[in-house]
């Protein structure tokens, strides 16, 4: 029988794409794996896995150090990876791309270096009510250390930022705004362009947490005009332990180094150290070389598929899953923003998310349960946690059908 | 009954089930039958830290034996607490401290002991043993 497929389905050959991800063919608890925990980490295509293996088998040497051939080759490969990321973000310079260990490391670096230089008693930092703990704690600590105040942009019941309230928070006391591009818990896509423009009108720099955004949408830092943009490699189908801090050259040059040591210097005497130029100033020690190379491969891979196609396809998954889940009695979707990425959080009346997650796991379905490192958000909705299904472009409507069936089974068992 | 005897009884009970769904159904039933903790004990300080769901545990020493009551907002967790209470409650502090709890492995609940499970069961066992140690120290 001929199956009617949508244009997007045909454009994205999902069956072929799924073959690129070896893990998708495994079973869990005797059932075919349905991986709906992409918000936590995404699976890796063979291309990325091969690049990592190839590095250790044929390329391993330290970068920026040796005169020998291996070191020179890998330095070129690593710097090419940086250039790939630069192009992907449309950054002006390659040295605006700082390799870190991940989003959390990027924010820690920025919060520490920025507050050391620019934060004083009575100053204010603005974040939002839907931030991941990783974009709360570093700023909270910076504020505590400097006697500054953390201000929070409130949200409405749908899970959208209240921009009027945000405008009111911006003042001459505000030193930086740090908000998420896409909420990991609610899926809300924030109007970051507007957020940036409003801050810039008062000469306030803005950092965008792009951890959840980069797998779903193209990011153009020049067009956004953001001052800093951070994300992780592993949510973007790349390796764990590598991430990016993009910063405008003018800002990065003003910031003091964060971790210091090998690789961050021009000259060292016991009296004084002259630090290296960007990006090395912020890249102390031997970096995660295979991570950087693997991340660039992952970016090449998604660009071959096309982020616009990915976003369109994922949107159909989101709409389909929303429509199916809404029909389940007692199920409530948390986060009903008009502009949403393929993340659905929900609660089921009278049943703890942990119970549902446990049963779904038995049925081979990986979802996330809990507070998703957004406890203030759980407090706002007055819930202990949610069940979160987050989709990637290798997921299918058939998997959603299976998920809904399994969810109904779990609910019946637990009621 | 000795702790090991209760453990064997539970192992036999679980051997009747063919698959994991049946085991979970049983655990859920156990959770529903758990003697509830008195409301006055459902306080912040009775909550066991480290669980994704909330677990309240109360212990009392009655005639030299530790009696546990508990509750949880998640039913599977509650079922697991019910199992632990069945095994450990109404025993002397020494018996509880020395309990090896091998039944957990035998009935296939070991994966709930892994750190990825938010340590629910691990934290539960730890707290029950800590309470027993505290009673022993006081006596």
């Amino acid at each position: 029988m001929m199956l009617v497929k949508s244009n997007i389905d045909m454009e994205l050959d999902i069956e072929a794409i799924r073959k690129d991800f070896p893990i998708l063919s495994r079973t869990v608890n005797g059932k075919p794996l349905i991986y709906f925990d992409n918000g936590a980490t995404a699976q890796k295509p063979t291309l990325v896995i091969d690049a990592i293996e190839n590095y250790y088998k044929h390329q391993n040497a330290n970068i920026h150090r040796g005169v020998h051939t291996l070191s020179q080759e890998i330095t070129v490969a690593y710097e090419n990876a940086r250039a790939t990321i630069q192009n992907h973000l449309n950054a002006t310079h390659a040295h605006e791309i700082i390799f870190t260990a991940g989003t959390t490391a990027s924010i820690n670096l920025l919060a520490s270096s920025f507050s050391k230089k620019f934060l004083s008693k009575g100053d204010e930092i603005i974040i939002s009510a839907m931030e991941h703990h990783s974009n709360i704690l570093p700023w909270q600590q910076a504020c505590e250390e400097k006697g500054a105040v953390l201000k929070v942009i409130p949200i409405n019941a749908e899970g959208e930022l209240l921009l009027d309230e945000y405008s009111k928070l911006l003042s001459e006391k505000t030193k930086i705004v740090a908000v998420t591009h896409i909420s990991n818990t609610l899926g809300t896509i924030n109007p970051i362009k507007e957020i940036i423009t409003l801050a810039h009108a008062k000469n306030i720099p803005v950092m965008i947490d792009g951890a959840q955004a980069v797998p779903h949408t193209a990011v153009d830092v020049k067009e956004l005009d953001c001052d800093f943009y951070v994300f992780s490699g592993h949510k973007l189908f790349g390796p764990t332990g590598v991430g990016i801090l993009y910063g405008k050259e003018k800002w990065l040059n003003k910031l003091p180094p964060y971790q210091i040591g090998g690789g961050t210097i021009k000259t060292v005497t016991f009296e004084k150290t002259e630090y290296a130029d960007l990006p090395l100033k912020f890249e102390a020690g031997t970096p995660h070389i295979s991570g950087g190379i693997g991340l660039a491969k992952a970016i090449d891979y998604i660009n071959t598929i096309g982020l616009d196609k990915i976003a369109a396809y994922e949107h159909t998954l989101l709409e389909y899953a929303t429509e199916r889940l809404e029909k389940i009695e007692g199920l409530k979707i948390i986060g009903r923003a008009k502009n949403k990425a393929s993340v659905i959080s929900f609660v089921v009346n009278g049943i703890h998310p942990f119970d549902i997650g446990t049963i779904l796991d038995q049925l081979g379905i990986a979802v996330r349960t809990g507070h998703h490192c957004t406890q203030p958000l759980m407090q706002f909705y007055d819930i202990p946690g949610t069940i979160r299904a987050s989709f990637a472009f290798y997921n299918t409507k058939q998997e959603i059908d299976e998920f809904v069936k399994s969810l109904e089974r779990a609910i019946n068992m637990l009621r | 009954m000795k702790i090991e005897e209760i453990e064997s009884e539970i192992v036999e009970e679980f051997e009747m089930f063919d698959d994991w769904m049946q085991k979970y159904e049983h655990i859920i039933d156990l959770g529903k039958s758990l003697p509830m903790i008195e409301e006055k004990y459902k306080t912040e300080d009775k909550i066991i830290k480290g669980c994704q769901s909330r677990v309240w545990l109360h212990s009392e020493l009655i005639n030299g034996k530790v009696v546990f009551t508990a509750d949880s907002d998640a039913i599977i967790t509650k079922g697991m607490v019910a199992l632990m209470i069945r095994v450990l409650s109404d025993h002397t502090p020494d018996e509880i401290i020395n309990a090896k709890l091998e039944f957990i492995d035998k009935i296939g609940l070991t994966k709930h002991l892994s750190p990825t499970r938010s340590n629910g069961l691990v934290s539960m066992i730890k707290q029950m043993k800590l309470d027993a140690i505290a009673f022993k120290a006081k006596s």
Side-chain angles (χ1 to χ4, degrees):
Chain A
M1 194 180 86
M2 283 287 287
L3 288 174
V4 182
K5 286 189 170 184
S6 72
N7 284 337
I8 292 156
D9 265 338
M10 288 216 266
E11 272 186 75
L12 276 192
D13 186 348
I14 303 300
E15 270 177 46
I17 284 172
R18 287 182 68 85
K19 289 199 181 103
D20 292 337
F21 294 81
I23 205 170
L24 296 179
S25 57
R26 72 161 277 184
T27 57
V28 167
N29 294 319
K31 303 275 192 318
L33 166 67
I34 294 181
Y35 189 77
F36 284 175
D37 197 16
N38 296 285
T41 196
Q43 299 304 344
K44 322 301 174 201
T46 305
L47 198 89
V48 170
I49 300 165
D50 286 350
I52 296 165
E53 191 182 317
N54 183 59
Y55 164 74
Y56 285 111
K57 274 186 169 167
H58 305 293
Q59 298 175 293
N60 182 46
N62 212 332
I63 55 163
H64 302 139
R65 307 282 204 281
V67 292
H68 60 81
T69 304
L70 277 184
S71 176
Q72 287 177 2
E73 279 177 9
I74 198 61
T75 301
V76 169
Y78 194 68
E79 290 309 317
N80 282 345
R82 197 190 302 274
T84 299
I85 295 154
Q86 175 205 349
N87 290 333
H88 186 65
L89 296 179
N90 194 29
T92 308
H93 308 287
H95 59 249
E96 292 174 322
I97 306 297
I98 312 294
F99 280 113
T100 67
T103 305
T104 302
S106 296
I107 299 173
N108 272 276
L109 186 165
L110 182 63
S112 170
S113 292
F114 188 91
S115 64
K116 208 181 275 177
K117 178 93 176 188
F118 295 108
L119 200 65
S120 311
K121 195 168 189 294
D123 286 344
E124 292 174 359
I125 291 173
I126 297 178
I127 60 168
S128 90
M130 64 173 82
E131 298 309 316
H132 188 282
H133 293 164
S134 289
N135 197 33
I136 302 175
L137 273 54
W139 302 112
Q140 195 174 49
Q141 196 189 28
C143 285
E144 276 171 24
E145 278 170 15
K146 296 283 186 166
V149 183
L150 195 63
K151 295 278 177 179
V152 182
I153 311 166
I155 56 171
N156 61 22
E158 279 71 42
E160 296 166 312
L161 293 179
L162 301 177
L163 286 188
D164 290 350
E165 297 299 317
Y166 167 61
S167 296
K168 285 184 221 158
L169 290 178
L170 290 164
S171 76
E172 67 281 358
K173 287 184 192 162
T174 314
K175 285 294 171 293
I176 190 166
V177 175
V179 292
T180 190
H181 192 164
I182 293 180
S183 159
N184 68 312
T185 303
L186 307 172
T188 310
I189 303 173
N190 286 322
I192 54 168
K193 178 79 185 156
E194 218 174 324
I195 288 169
I196 294 162
T197 307
L198 284 166
H200 282 182
K202 296 191 170 167
N203 291 317
I204 301 161
V206 180
M207 184 214 86
I208 302 296
D209 172 357
Q212 294 292 331
V214 284
H216 306 294
T217 177
V219 172
D220 182 331
V221 293
K222 222 176 279 170
E223 198 263 329
L224 285 172
D225 199 25
C226 58
D227 303 279
F228 304 97
Y229 195 96
V230 298
F231 66 92
S232 298
H234 70 98
K235 293 192 206 288
L236 187 54
F237 316 97
T240 56
V242 68
I244 297 299
L245 163 65
Y246 157 82
K248 279 182 185 165
E249 183 186 42
K250 64 165 185 180
W251 278 109
L252 291 177
N253 274 332
K254 283 184 216 167
L255 297 180
Y258 174 51
Q259 289 176 329
I260 47 185
T264 60
I265 52 93
K266 274 182 183 161
T267 58
V268 177
T269 65
F270 285 117
E271 288 72 38
K272 192 166 172 55
T273 295
E274 192 189 348
Y275 286 102
D277 294 329
L278 294 172
L280 300 183
K281 180 170 98 173
F282 291 110
E283 294 182 351
T286 296
H288 185 3
I289 302 170
S290 66
I293 288 170
L295 173 55
K297 279 283 175 210
I299 288 174
D300 285 342
Y301 177 78
I302 54 162
N303 283 334
T304 318
I305 296 168
L307 271 166
D308 46 346
K309 281 188 203 167
I310 288 174
Y313 175 70
E314 287 176 346
H315 192 70
T316 64
L317 291 181
L318 174 75
E319 285 189 327
Y320 183 67
T322 305
E323 192 189 305
R324 297 245 18 214
L325 287 175
E326 274 176 333
K327 292 195 180 117
I328 296 176
E329 207 201 309
L331 185 147
K332 187 181 169 203
I333 292 174
I334 305 291
R336 308 294 314 233
K338 282 183 269 314
N339 212 355
K340 251 183 98 166
S342 55
V343 173
I344 306 186
S345 258
F346 60 90
V347 288
V348 180
N349 225 343
I351 304 180
H352 198 281
F354 171 82
D355 289 327
I356 289 177
T358 306
I359 301 296
L360 288 178
D361 172 53
Q362 284 303 315
L363 298 168
I365 298 168
V367 291
R368 175 86 186 265
T369 62
H371 52 63
H372 318 294
C373 296
T374 53
Q375 284 184 11
L377 202 52
M378 297 298 109
Q379 289 149 19
F380 175 80
Y381 285 105
D382 195 21
I383 47 177
T386 73
I387 299 129
R388 182 189 71 183
S390 47
F391 312 119
F393 58 89
Y394 43 64
N395 291 128
T396 65
K397 286 185 182 174
Q398 290 78 1
E399 286 181 313
I400 291 171
D401 289 339
E402 194 55 40
F403 164 62
V404 170
K405 209 171 87 188
S406 304
L407 179 62
E408 282 170 336
R409 189 173 163 189
I411 292 170
N412 281 334
M413 271 176 82
L414 294 161
R415 273 232 168 98
Chain B
M1 237 194 296
K2 281 187 185 164
I3 286 181
E4 294 84 53
E5 286 166 2
I6 305 171
E7 288 191 51
S8 308
E9 199 180 82
I10 292 170
V11 172
E12 268 174 44
E13 223 171 85
F14 272 78
E15 273 166 1
M16 299 189 313
F17 306 121
D18 299 329
D19 65 20
W20 253 103
M21 292 317 270
Q22 288 180 355
K23 283 186 192 176
Y24 270 111
E25 272 164 7
H26 185 58
I27 291 171
I28 291 162
D29 286 342
L30 291 172
K32 286 175 184 165
S33 68
L34 182 74
M36 289 281 196
I37 192 169
E38 281 182 62
E39 273 308 311
K40 65 175 176 184
Y41 295 129
K42 280 174 80 168
T43 50
E44 278 296 314
D45 61 315
K46 300 275 180 196
I47 291 180
I48 298 177
K49 300 277 183 290
C51 302
Q52 206 181 87
S53 48
R54 286 194 293 177
V55 181
W56 296 268
L57 179 74
H58 174 66
S59 55
E60 277 176 88
L61 192 69
I62 301 171
N63 300 328
K65 291 179 173 178
V66 187
V67 175
F68 294 105
T69 48
D71 198 5
S72 172
D73 53 0
I75 194 74
I76 292 174
T77 311
K78 208 163 144 180
M80 288 193 281
V81 189
L83 276 175
M84 292 314 306
I85 287 183
R86 196 166 130 196
V87 173
L88 293 180
S89 192
D90 214 15
H91 288 95
T92 65
D94 271 328
E95 286 171 329
I96 294 166
I97 294 162
N98 296 323
K100 292 200 185 76
L101 304 173
E102 284 164 347
F103 80 101
I104 296 169
D105 189 33
K106 287 182 185 154
I107 65 174
L109 270 175
T110 315
K111 72 173 181 180
H112 285 277
L113 294 175
S114 78
T116 55
R117 286 278 156 173
S118 308
N119 278 328
L121 195 51
V122 174
S123 313
M124 229 180 264
I125 295 168
K126 194 174 148 196
Q127 192 57 53
M128 290 170 109
K129 291 207 171 202
L130 279 175
D131 285 5
I133 291 169
F135 283 125
K136 191 188 171 182
K138 272 188 229 160
S139 63

